[in-house]
Amino acid sequence: MANNIAFQATGKTYLLAVSTTSSNVAVYADTPSNQFAPFNDGNHDVFVRTGNDDGTAAVVPTAGNPQYGFVVPPSTRIVITNGQSASTTPQYFAAITTTGTHNLYITPGEGLS
């Protein structure tokens, strides 16, 4: 459940290597959580999609061709609310970028950015 407190991690931080081909990672929380803090360490936007299985894939939107997901700008951490993750139930994060390679660090937790 979301809180009016600073973001508190409720599990390990996961690393997703992001390139021009979609890849994904299963993110587990130590205790049930439905918020996540993805951080893009690169210098280009990263397009992220979440889902409930390892078939989750991210696609870069183009003019006239919208896609599901959200953008994590360069050198930025955001906090999102999504489906619940727990020690036995992951949320899958898929990411893609238009150029280069980046690292996307994802931490499950609760609270505001």
Side-chain angles (χ1 to χ4, degrees):
M1 169 177 276
N3 298 306
N4 284 336
I5 57 174
F7 186 82
Q8 299 176 42
T10 60
K12 297 175 181 175
T13 296
Y14 291 77
L15 170 62
L16 179 57
V18 182
S19 70
T20 57
T21 302
S22 180
S23 57
N24 69 37
V25 65
V27 176
Y28 293 85
D30 294 344
T31 59
S33 171
N34 69 337
Q35 289 184 293
F36 302 87
F39 171 74
N40 172 6
D41 81 344
N43 54 9
H44 295 95
D45 289 339
V46 170
F47 300 89
V48 180
R49 183 176 182 186
T50 61
N52 295 321
D53 60 55
D54 64 0
T56 301
V59 178
V60 176
T62 58
N65 188 21
Q67 299 295 329
Y68 291 102
F70 57 93
V71 174
V72 180
S75 300
T76 300
R77 181 190 86 157
I78 62 173
V79 174
I80 66 160
T81 300
N82 199 49
Q84 191 172 64
S85 177
S87 61
T88 59
T89 309
Q91 272 294 297
Y92 288 84
F93 280 73
I96 192 169
T97 187
T98 58
T99 186
T101 58
H102 309 293
N103 290 319
L104 186 70
Y105 297 93
I106 305 159
T107 307
E110 296 291 332
L112 306 173
S113 57

